[in-house]
Amino acid sequence: MSPIVLWVGGLMLAAAALLIVVRIERGPSMLDRTIGLDMLVSVVVAALALWSGATGRTDLVNVLVVLTLVGFVGSVTLARFVAVEPEDEGRILTPEEVRAHDDRMRAAIAKESKRRVGGREDAMRRAYPEDEDPR
Amino acid sequence: MSPLEWLASVCFILGCSLNLIAAIGALRFPDLLARMHAATKPQVLGLILTMAGLAASLGSSQLTWKLLIVVLFQFMTAPVSAHMVGRSGYRTGKVRDEDLVVDELTEDLRRVQQADTQPPTS
Amino acid sequence: MAERVRFWNRWPMVLWLAGVWVLLWGDVTVANVLAGLVLGCLLVMAMPMPKAGFEGRPWLPGIVNLVVRFLGDVVMASVQIAKKALSPGRPPRGAVIRVQLRSQSDLFLTVTAQLCSLVPGSIVVEAHRLAGLLYIHVFDVSDSGGIDGAREHSLEIEKRVLYAFATDAAIEAAGLPPRKRLLRRRRSTEVTS
């Protein structure tokens, strides 16, 4: 196989992977990211096939078998355990928000442990009532 | 280049471009289910094409059988994950009604709920 | 819980596992076939599965028709979605449609749902086993020939599945013409056309 095919195909796959990573970062929900990861698996499968065809490495075929067989497990698991998540939950937080989050948590734990010893879990539950399973 | 090599090259390029187009689709499409439709494309046709290209470029019958099994495995597993993701997306309200022309599942679910809450009048 | 099948009646599963084993090793030798059979027996004994209830008659012309038309559908639908992904403007609106399948069998429901999901442009969102209902999300309603067209298409896939694998009685129960008449009609149209 000519190196032109390897280069053209490889560049297309790299661009595809980049776009998928952008989609995974944007979300907005966990399921969108799951789809992105599924697509990333199929890009990896195509890349392995391309590499195997270009170099004649036949051992990579076994990797393809395993990837296509178990690639779905992750997304099924995620889809099974995705509960009703709040609209804002799927976003990646900015550094300020992360700091505010940490401060809120630390304050809640400090307040609670002053009141009684060993109340860490209760404090978290009181600080984040929405974290409880809505079912 | 031999005809077999030409075939392999064409299959590889087509399969890779399907992956790229699907990625563009996944980035552009506005809602969850449309993105899922974009994702199934490289998983099915793209995989068939790249595996055909690999079989043509490796050119051994032993490996061709193995590649056939790869396609078979993908055909058995891809719908499972697609169905699970689509179902839980629907159940957790990720599918907006205004994006749909008709939504017969929500209609039916509402009807079942009404039948459950109202006791039969007869 | 469905009833368990006795060990000796599960030889198709053993054969399938042995076949996969041989394909994975890549060449048919006595050692491979024997190892595959032994492994298959061990797996079937270790992990008994509930009965799926396959009652059918595989029919070669039907299977060829199913596979060829399926591949054609996949190519057509992939091209359509690729066009939609690349063309500017707002992507089309989809729909969730209810499809009442004709057969009562779980197995044919599963196969139909799998094939519908594999074709790009339609995903099975929900399935009702007892009622034989599939809820399918269609990507582009206008491309699939309207809501009725999309429903017809899913029923067409089920028809092909039935002609490929179902018994004659099941085909008749689903309200479809029997296979023999199908063949005869096709041959006569080929002669006249």
Side-chain angles (χ1 to χ4, degrees):
Chain A
M1 202 170 61
S2 75
I4 302 170
V5 177
L6 181 64
W7 272 102
V8 172
L11 282 177
M12 279 201 272
L13 289 178
L18 200 69
L19 293 178
I20 292 168
V21 169
V22 171
R23 170 45 72 203
I24 292 175
E25 193 269 329
R26 279 193 196 167
S29 74
M30 221 51 229
L31 289 172
D32 294 281
R33 300 197 171 111
T34 311
I35 295 170
L37 289 175
D38 258 7
M39 294 177 70
L40 215 50
V41 170
S42 70
V43 168
V44 168
V45 166
L48 281 174
L50 196 64
W51 186 244
S52 165
T55 57
R57 276 182 61 182
T58 52
D59 53 334
L60 289 177
V61 176
N62 300 316
V63 184
L64 294 181
V65 174
V66 174
L67 263 183
T68 49
L69 193 54
V70 299
F72 80 113
V73 174
S75 52
V76 168
T77 317
L78 263 172
R80 182 72 186 75
F81 292 111
V82 163
V84 183
E85 51 180 347
E87 194 64 43
D88 210 31
E89 203 88 314
R91 200 162 46 82
I92 293 177
L93 301 175
T94 61
E96 288 84 3
E97 281 172 327
V98 172
R99 228 167 289 135
H101 177 272
D102 283 351
D103 287 342
R104 200 146 56 102
M105 185 161 248
R106 229 170 275 134
I109 291 171
K111 195 174 148 198
E112 191 68 16
S113 59
K114 212 182 280 173
R115 212 161 63 79
R116 61 183 185 135
V117 186
R120 189 189 164 96
E121 279 187 12
D122 278 334
M124 279 172 68
R125 202 170 299 143
R126 217 156 291 153
Y128 297 98
E130 73 270 20
D131 275 0
E132 281 178 6
D133 198 343
R135 287 165 298 180
Chain B
M1 284 208 308
S2 69
L4 212 57
E5 278 185 10
W6 272 109
L7 181 72
S9 306
V10 169
C11 284
F12 271 131
I13 293 296
L14 278 178
C16 292
S17 51
L18 268 180
N19 267 298
L20 181 57
I21 293 170
I24 293 171
L27 200 60
R28 276 196 57 214
F29 287 161
D31 61 331
L32 179 80
L33 285 172
R35 283 177 206 138
M36 285 189 60
H37 290 297
T40 33
K41 186 151 36 81
Q43 284 174 350
V44 182
L45 188 61
L47 190 86
I48 294 176
L49 283 171
T50 41
M51 290 305 121
L54 185 55
S57 68
L58 291 177
S60 93
S61 65
Q62 198 180 324
L63 284 167
T64 307
W65 284 112
K66 227 179 204 175
L67 295 173
L68 199 69
I69 268 208
V70 171
V71 174
L72 210 66
F73 281 161
Q74 180 81 338
F75 276 20
M76 290 193 303
T77 58
V80 179
S81 70
H83 171 65
M84 287 300 286
V85 172
R87 197 176 83 141
S88 83
Y90 203 92
R91 291 194 168 181
T92 52
K94 302 270 175 355
V95 182
R96 282 167 303 171
D97 250 5
E98 61 262 37
D99 287 340
L100 299 172
V101 179
V102 275
D103 186 357
E104 294 180 329
L105 178 54
T106 306
E107 284 169 24
D108 284 7
L109 286 178
R110 215 166 276 152
R111 205 175 303 144
V112 169
Q113 261 178 1
Q114 273 174 3
D116 278 349
T117 48
Q118 291 168 359
T121 46
S122 61
Chain C
M1 195 67 209
E3 63 174 299
R4 299 284 163 105
V5 196
R6 264 181 296 140
F7 176 71
W8 293 114
N9 291 338
R10 274 181 284 154
W11 57 268
M13 193 66 184
V14 176
L15 275 188
W16 155 247
L17 288 171
V20 171
W21 179 259
V22 171
L23 284 180
L24 282 179
W25 279 99
D27 41 14
V28 186
T29 60
V30 180
N32 271 345
V33 174
L34 280 182
L37 285 175
V38 169
L39 263 179
C41 286
L42 281 179
L43 278 175
V44 163
M45 274 194 284
M47 287 174 253
M49 303 268 267
K51 191 178 179 180
F54 176 70
E55 272 184 18
R57 190 165 74 87
W59 189 53
L60 197 60
I63 295 172
V64 171
N65 184 39
L66 179 71
V67 172
V68 171
R69 300 280 281 276
F70 167 71
L71 290 178
D73 279 354
V74 166
V75 173
M76 288 243 302
S78 294
V79 170
Q80 272 173 5
I81 294 190
K83 263 189 214 156
K84 284 280 152 23
L86 293 179
S87 63
R90 207 186 176 289
R93 290 170 76 201
V96 175
I97 55 167
R98 177 197 323 112
V99 179
Q100 172 72 59
L101 295 183
R102 283 174 283 215
S103 86
Q104 296 295 316
S105 156
D106 289 350
L107 189 70
F108 299 133
L109 177 89
T110 313
V111 174
T112 310
Q114 285 239 341
L115 291 180
C116 281
S117 292
L118 277 175
V119 175
S122 57
I123 296 174
V124 178
V125 183
E126 191 81 44
H128 279 272
R129 191 172 71 93
L130 291 176
L133 283 174
L134 291 182
Y135 291 92
I136 298 178
H137 180 263
V138 186
F139 174 66
D140 183 2
V141 179
S142 57
D143 260 2
S144 330
I147 289 158
D148 289 324
R151 194 174 288 142
E152 278 300 309
H153 188 74
S154 313
L155 285 173
E156 177 74 24
I157 291 178
E158 192 212 6
K159 193 169 104 185
R160 286 179 216 151
V161 171
L162 285 180
Y163 277 128
F165 297 117
T167 56
D168 288 337
I171 290 176
E172 207 185 316
L176 295 169
R179 284 166 174 149
K180 272 181 193 159
R181 208 186 299 160
L182 198 78
L183 260 192
R184 208 173 298 146
R185 200 195 303 147
R186 193 170 295 162
R187 208 171 292 146
S188 64
T189 49
E190 272 172 14
V191 168
T192 50
S193 61

